[in-house]
Amino acid sequence: MPMRIIFYLLPCVMNIIMGLFFFITMRRLAASGADSFAVAGTMAVWAFVYAIVSALLGAVQQKGNATKFILAGEGILVLSMIGFLLFPGMSMQYVWLFVSGIGTAMFFAPFQVIVKMLDGKESSRETVPRTAAIYTFSWSFGFASGPFIAALIWGLLSPETGWRTCYKINILLVLIVSCFVWFLHCFIRRKNADQDSAAEPHEDAADAGKDPGTPEKLPDLAYLGWIVAGTGFVTIAMLRTQIPYRCNLLGMSTAQQGIILAAVSYVQAFLALSLWKSRRWMYHPFPMAFAAFCGLCALLLFAFAQSYPVYVFAGLLYGCYSGGFCFFFAYHSLANPAKSHRYVAVNEVIVGSTSVFAPLGAGILADVTGDSAAPFLVGAVLIFLAVLCQIAATWRYRHL
């Protein structure tokens, strides 16, 4: 049980770290008078290298070497956090975001390869949705807590010392994660040795007795998860870069901006966790469509509303959508055990690549049109098109 807690605590802490440096870099650039494109470029630079490193890891990562990659990534991440602290110039933010992209990619892609190993039946009907739900909850809760912690500390301290304190906290958190990953490395090594020594006939007998309704016997819809969640990650990348920019135009405080962004990920986290006993809805057309409707309404509110309470409500509404598509995304990549090590790498490439072009596209769109609401309207259209595709693809499975 302690090792299970550590397993799922690590992505939470890592996303606190990411949430902190994302919020700080975007907020500092927005406050310096940078345009929408420059603010959006923060996530794009990070995501560019994140996508490339994730793709490369997909070819070499396995259960046996995953923790080694994670440990190397933590060392790189410490260097980037020190860089943020010691070289705080606006242009240098992009350099350290690039370096942090390498470190974070070397955590998340390998981590998903080993995330199911705590359960004795890694591919059972119960294990896959539980793993997808708890993993999604963990990283979502962490990503929500990052902006909230940054806004709180930054708001309590001075504009100059607040963000510096946040980076010092990040360095400490990365070192703590590194210590726990070392224990995790020893645990995985023992578990892999035990599995290798297990008799093959016993494994074959277990496979022969599997319930034909287990996830691997159901349709492989990983491609649909990539379409649905790919669209979702486009809109959420727009959201995370354009909300600081738009809120700055509307005169909202740093604390208010942090709370709006935190609201999205907190609802996302708890909604995903509530889905841990899911069995069949991931193959049906309408549950995901309803979640997409919530996301579409949220983007329209962000586009047309101008008050802080409405923005908080829109954040909560969008979290219902993002919680649904994040679980959908994780579940379908883990449901096929023979291909999951490749699927999770594709997942991270999608997360990274959408985080490159979506923020940049949103920034260009807002600057060209002179309307900070334009990216939200385009995102609403994309969600509508994706949900039509999802309904068409799952209609045949509605009676599963």
Side-chain angles (χ1 to χ4, degrees):
M1 184 59 68
M3 189 58 66
R4 183 190 300 270
I5 295 172
I6 292 173
F7 238 121
Y8 292 114
L9 184 62
L10 291 180
C12 178
V13 176
M14 283 296 296
N15 275 279
I16 289 175
I17 294 167
M18 289 174 57
L20 279 164
F21 71 70
F22 275 143
F23 182 78
I24 293 168
T25 52
M26 288 183 227
R27 176 59 179 159
R28 289 188 69 213
L29 280 165
S32 71
D35 60 20
S36 177
F37 182 79
V39 175
T42 56
M43 181 172 284
V45 168
W46 168 86
F48 174 75
V49 67
Y50 185 90
I52 292 175
V53 174
S54 296
L56 294 174
L57 287 171
V60 296
Q61 64 187 14
Q62 299 173 353
K63 291 179 181 179
N65 61 16
T67 49
K68 295 178 182 178
F69 285 120
I70 295 173
L71 285 169
E74 294 307 294
I76 294 171
L77 196 55
V78 166
L79 293 177
S80 69
M81 293 302 106
I82 294 173
F84 276 123
L85 188 60
L86 299 182
F87 304 94
M90 290 298 113
S91 59
M92 290 299 293
Q93 302 298 295
Y94 299 102
V95 174
W96 305 123
L97 283 165
F98 186 94
V99 178
S100 67
I102 300 173
T104 49
M106 292 180 70
F107 174 86
F108 287 102
F111 185 85
Q112 290 183 74
V113 173
I114 58 175
V115 74
K116 293 187 293 182
M117 290 188 68
L118 283 184
D119 292 279
K121 299 179 180 179
E122 295 182 27
S123 305
S124 72
R125 183 185 300 175
E126 295 80 14
T127 299
V128 175
R130 181 169 62 243
T131 298
I134 298 177
Y135 176 72
T136 303
F137 168 79
S138 181
W139 72 258
S140 300
F141 189 89
F143 209 91
S145 300
F148 184 79
I149 293 170
L152 181 65
I153 294 174
W154 206 345
L156 291 175
L157 302 176
S158 70
E160 179 61 27
T161 60
W163 63 267
R164 292 181 181 275
T165 301
C166 291
Y167 280 129
K168 292 175 183 176
I169 292 172
N170 262 7
I171 292 170
L172 177 62
L173 290 177
V174 174
L175 293 175
I176 291 172
V177 169
S178 300
C179 293
F180 280 114
V181 170
W182 173 253
F183 290 110
L184 187 61
H185 170 73
C186 297
F187 170 80
I188 294 296
R189 185 168 55 188
R190 289 195 302 270
K191 191 171 179 69
N192 283 333
D194 292 341
Q195 289 179 344
D196 291 340
S197 63
E200 291 294 335
H202 292 293
E203 293 181 0
D204 294 339
D207 289 341
K210 282 183 180 177
D211 184 344
T214 52
E216 61 269 27
K217 297 297 183 181
L218 292 170
D220 186 349
L221 297 183
Y223 77 94
L224 188 60
W226 298 333
I227 293 171
V228 170
T231 304
F233 283 118
V234 166
T235 62
I236 205 168
M238 289 180 175
L239 213 66
R240 286 172 179 156
T241 54
Q242 291 304 302
I243 281 183
Y245 178 71
R246 183 161 169 78
C247 288
N248 195 57
L249 296 178
L250 296 174
M252 296 184 194
S253 69
T254 298
Q256 288 175 327
Q257 295 178 38
I259 290 170
I260 292 167
L261 291 172
V264 173
S265 293
Y266 277 132
V267 174
Q268 172 181 307
F270 285 101
L271 181 72
L273 184 63
S274 72
L275 301 174
W276 73 290
K277 287 191 175 181
S278 298
R279 292 294 180 269
R280 290 288 188 271
W281 73 262
M282 299 77 70
Y283 301 91
H284 296 175
F286 297 117
M288 193 60 235
F290 177 74
F293 176 74
C294 292
L296 191 152
C297 292
L299 291 183
L300 293 178
L301 288 175
F302 282 126
F304 295 112
Q306 296 186 356
S307 69
Y308 170 66
V310 176
Y311 264 48
V312 173
F313 174 73
L316 297 174
L317 200 59
Y318 187 89
C320 295
Y321 167 54
S322 59
F325 78 68
C326 286
F327 175 86
F328 190 83
F329 188 55
Y331 174 85
H332 284 298
S333 66
L334 297 174
N336 189 322
K339 301 178 181 178
S340 62
H341 67 287
R342 292 193 299 271
Y343 284 172
V344 297
V346 174
N347 284 7
E348 299 309 311
V349 171
I350 290 172
V351 172
S353 59
T354 54
S355 297
V356 172
F357 68 79
L360 292 178
I364 293 171
L365 184 61
D367 289 340
V368 170
T369 62
D371 183 3
S372 60
F376 300 107
L377 297 176
V378 171
V381 172
L382 293 176
I383 290 176
F384 178 74
L385 295 175
V387 78
L388 291 181
C389 178
Q390 181 260 327
I391 291 173
T394 54
W395 186 257
R396 73 186 74 175
Y397 307 121
R398 64 190 183 278
H399 298 306
L400 278 177

